[in-house]
């Protein structure tokens, strides 16, 4: 399954230097005026939904730098898949893999004040996201406008995951300068929208972990398979870990991966040291999908080195044993023919 | 241990015991090294004391020991007295 996603709103917006500037209000509709402080973070958030955003203004200073940082949380419902109501990162479907992502910065307009005579103004705007940058510059006395800019996320190896995107910060950096600190009108900047979109796939992979028929001990081979179609490609596995209640994870050393084929994977059971867990879980990570996939569970009562306690209980008339195929469950069996013998009679 | 036997051939001819329990009580006579043996008829025992049953035997050896057992789950026994009936048959085995 493939589709498109869009991040509709950030969790945190951090406009810096908001309180630095003082001066009259710029009242242009839809503009964010840090000088006045009249616009709340909601306006910044709304920019992700195709609404105007103004990032900076300048008055009474020769140089001013303004930045706005978007950060995205994993908990809020901010990811829309195929136009559906937004869900959280944790709510993404199993196997969600980001195939591409981009940020579209809408039409930008910078207005520079040329009032008051021989004023020279300059504006530098930088859009930054996931290590890429789009710079804009104008020295036009009255400012300039720029068409839509785009940052396409680099998906080359190692391809970033959706988690990487969610943890990234989207930054807008605006610096304006002037040689006239006493101009009557402030400079300003706005961008019509900031839209983060991408494509994804959500494939469910099939796999199976073969349950050994013979007793298993450290060093014994464990085999996992997958079907030819829609199966896990074991050649893309990056790590194998074994976990069990109260211990682990134990990482299976890659040198113990004895068979690595697309549909067949065999590794050697690592040593558990002094632990004898009743059941273990085998998980893998891969470049084929995000996160880890649990291949299955093994009942480690098969471990030949397993030991137990035999407790003598008065009036106990049967032995209580664990069932190999049903972890945690017990079965009552007879004590093997309890008996006694008298001493020998006869000389 | 019966006293007075010094290699005589003995006839173990019956057992009787005061026993309570549940299940079927099994008895077997064994000679040295379990070479000779005789399985006696088993009988049902109950948790409350009943008559002390005499179980006939026909085991002959110079030495004999009685094994008492149960062989099914949840069976048990508690014996407070055992009587083994024996009789000297011969003073010994002659040299062949």
């Amino acid at each position: 399954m493939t589709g498109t996603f869009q991040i509709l709103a950030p969790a945190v917006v951090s406009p810096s230097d908001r309180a630095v500037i003082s001066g009259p209000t710029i009242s242009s509709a839809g503009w964010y005026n840090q000088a006045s402080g009249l616009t709340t973070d909601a306006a910044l958030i709304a920019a992700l939904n195709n609404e105007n955003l103004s990032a900076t203004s300048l008055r009474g200073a020769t140089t001013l730098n303004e930045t706005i940082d978007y950060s995205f949380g994993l908990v809020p419902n901010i990811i829309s898949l195929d136009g559906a109501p937004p869900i959280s990162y944790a709510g993404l479907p199993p196997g969600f893999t980001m195939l591409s992502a981009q940020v579209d910065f809408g039409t930008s307009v910078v207005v520079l004040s040329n009032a008051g005579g021989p004023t020279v103004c300059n504006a530098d705007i930088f859009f930054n996201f996931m290590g890429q940058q789009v710079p804009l510059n104008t020295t036009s006395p009255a400012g300039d406008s720029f068409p839509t800019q785009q940052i396409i996320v680099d998906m080359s190896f190692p391809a970033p995951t959706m988690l990487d995107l969610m943890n990234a910060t989207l930054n807008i950096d605006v610096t304006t300068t002037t040689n006239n600190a006493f101009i009557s009108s402030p400079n300003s900047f706005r961008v019509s929208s900031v839209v983060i979109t991408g494509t994804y796939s959500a494939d469910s992979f099939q796999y199976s972990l073969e349950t050994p028929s013979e007793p298993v001990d450290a060093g014994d081979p464990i085999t996992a398979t997958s079907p030819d179609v829609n199966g896990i490609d074991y050649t893309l596995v990056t790590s194998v870990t074994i976990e069990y209640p109260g211990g682990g994870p134990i990482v299976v050393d890659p040198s113990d991966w004895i068979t690595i084929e697309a549909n067949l994977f065999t590794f050697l059971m690592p040593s558990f040291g002094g632990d004898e867990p009743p059941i273990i879980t085998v998980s893998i990570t891969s470049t084929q999908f995000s996160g880890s996939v649990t291949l299955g569970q093994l009942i480690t009562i098969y471990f030949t080195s397993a030991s137990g306690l035999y407790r003598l209980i008065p009036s106990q008339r049967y032995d209580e044993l664990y069932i190999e195929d049903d972890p945690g469950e017990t079965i009552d069996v007879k004590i093997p023919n309890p008996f006694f013998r008298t001493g020998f009679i006869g000389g | 241990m019966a006293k007075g036997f010094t290699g005589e051939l003995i006839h173990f001819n019956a057992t009787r015991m005061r026993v309570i329990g549940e299940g079927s009580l099994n008895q077997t006579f064994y000679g040295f090294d379990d070479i000779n043996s005789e399985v006696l008829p088993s009988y049902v025992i109950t948790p409350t004391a009943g008559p002390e049953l005499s179980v006939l035997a026909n085991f002959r050896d110079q030495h004999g020991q009685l094994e008492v057992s149960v062989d099914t789950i949840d069976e048990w026994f508690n014996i407070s007295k055992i009587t083994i009936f024996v009789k000297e048959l011969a003073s010994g085995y002659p040299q062949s």
Side-chain angles (χ1 to χ4, degrees):
Chain A
M1 177 182 70
T2 59
T4 60
F5 71 86
Q6 180 178 355
I7 296 180
L8 293 180
V12 178
V13 178
S14 176
S16 64
D17 300 330
R18 172 178 292 178
V20 171
I21 309 170
S22 61
T25 298
I26 294 176
S27 58
S28 299
W31 285 37
Y32 173 62
N33 181 5
Q34 295 183 38
S36 69
L38 294 178
T39 307
T40 67
D41 288 349
L44 301 174
I45 294 172
L48 292 178
N49 300 322
N50 296 313
E51 296 185 17
N52 284 349
L53 167 67
S54 175
T56 188
S57 63
L58 174 62
R59 174 183 166 77
T62 55
T63 300
L64 185 65
N65 173 256
E66 303 279 359
T67 61
I68 294 176
D69 292 332
Y70 285 107
S71 299
F72 308 98
L74 301 180
V75 176
N77 296 329
I78 61 175
I79 305 171
S80 173
L81 300 182
D82 305 309
I87 58 177
S88 68
Y89 174 78
L92 293 175
F96 183 93
T97 303
M98 184 175 73
L99 301 178
S100 68
Q102 66 184 55
V103 185
D104 291 281
F105 300 92
T107 303
S108 304
V109 176
V110 57
V111 177
L112 300 175
S113 174
N114 193 28
T119 299
V120 177
C121 294
N122 180 74
D124 288 300
I125 301 104
F126 298 97
F127 299 123
N128 301 293
F129 189 58
M130 298 190 77
Q132 298 190 68
Q133 185 178 73
V134 173
L136 302 176
N137 172 264
T138 181
T139 55
S140 172
D144 209 342
S145 64
F146 304 94
T148 297
Q149 303 296 317
Q150 191 175 66
I151 290 179
I152 298 176
V153 175
D154 182 7
M155 297 299 291
S156 60
F157 183 85
T161 65
M162 191 65 180
L163 183 61
D164 295 328
L165 185 142
M166 298 298 290
N167 287 331
T169 297
L170 191 155
N171 170 260
I172 301 173
D173 187 306
V174 180
T175 301
T176 57
T177 60
T178 178
N179 64 347
N180 183 355
F182 302 100
I183 57 176
S184 58
S185 300
N187 298 333
S188 65
F189 166 80
R190 66 176 178 176
V191 58
S192 61
S193 63
V194 180
V195 180
I196 303 174
T197 57
T199 59
Y200 72 93
S201 67
D203 297 325
S204 60
F205 301 106
Q206 299 179 39
Y207 46 85
S208 62
L209 184 67
E210 294 183 355
T211 301
S213 57
E214 299 293 330
V216 171
D217 205 344
D220 287 349
I222 303 298
T223 299
T225 59
S226 66
D228 292 333
V229 181
N230 295 327
I232 278 183
D233 184 350
Y234 291 110
T235 62
L236 303 177
V237 170
T238 54
S239 70
V240 180
T241 56
I242 293 177
E243 296 181 81
Y244 54 94
I250 296 175
V251 178
V252 180
D253 193 296
S255 63
D256 289 333
W257 303 0
I258 55 178
T259 304
I260 309 171
E261 298 174 2
N263 306 112
L264 177 65
F265 181 63
T266 304
F267 64 92
L268 301 180
M269 181 65 72
S271 170
F272 280 73
D275 289 335
E276 295 293 351
I279 196 166
I280 62 174
T281 301
V282 181
S283 301
I284 63 172
T285 58
S286 168
T287 59
Q288 192 178 12
F289 45 81
S290 301
S292 65
V293 167
T294 299
L295 286 181
Q297 293 183 324
L298 292 177
I299 304 167
T300 59
I301 200 167
Y302 288 133
F303 271 85
T304 54
S305 57
S307 61
L309 294 175
Y310 193 94
R311 186 169 53 159
L312 297 176
I313 302 174
S315 303
Q316 180 83 358
R317 301 170 190 172
Y318 50 83
D319 279 340
E320 187 176 357
L321 304 178
Y322 284 109
I323 304 174
E324 285 187 343
D325 297 333
D326 199 354
E329 297 300 318
T330 61
I331 185 175
D332 297 336
V333 300
K334 79 183 184 80
I335 298 172
N337 294 357
F339 72 96
F340 78 94
R341 286 189 181 188
T342 66
F344 277 106
I345 300 172
Chain B
M1 171 74 73
K3 294 181 179 179
F5 295 109
T6 55
E8 294 86 346
L9 186 62
I10 305 170
H11 182 220
F12 299 81
N13 53 64
T15 67
R16 181 191 298 159
M17 58 187 69
R18 184 178 300 161
V19 59
I20 60 173
E22 287 181 277
S24 182
L25 193 69
N26 307 314
Q27 300 180 77
T28 305
F29 273 113
Y30 291 98
F32 270 155
D33 293 331
D34 295 349
I35 294 175
N36 295 324
S37 65
E38 183 194 16
V39 177
L40 278 55
S42 60
Y43 65 97
V44 175
I45 54 177
T46 59
T48 54
E52 297 179 15
L53 301 179
S54 293
V55 179
L56 296 180
N58 187 22
F59 181 66
R60 285 173 291 181
D61 204 321
Q62 287 177 291
H63 318 87
Q65 64 179 162
L66 179 67
E67 179 185 283
V68 180
S69 67
V70 290
D71 58 10
T72 305
I73 188 171
D74 277 344
E75 287 187 338
W76 62 279
F77 58 84
N78 191 338
I79 298 172
S80 57
K81 185 185 75 173
I82 298 176
T83 303
I84 299 176
F85 297 92
V86 301
K87 185 179 185 302
E88 179 181 342
L89 285 180
S91 59
Y93 279 105
Q95 183 180 10
S96 59

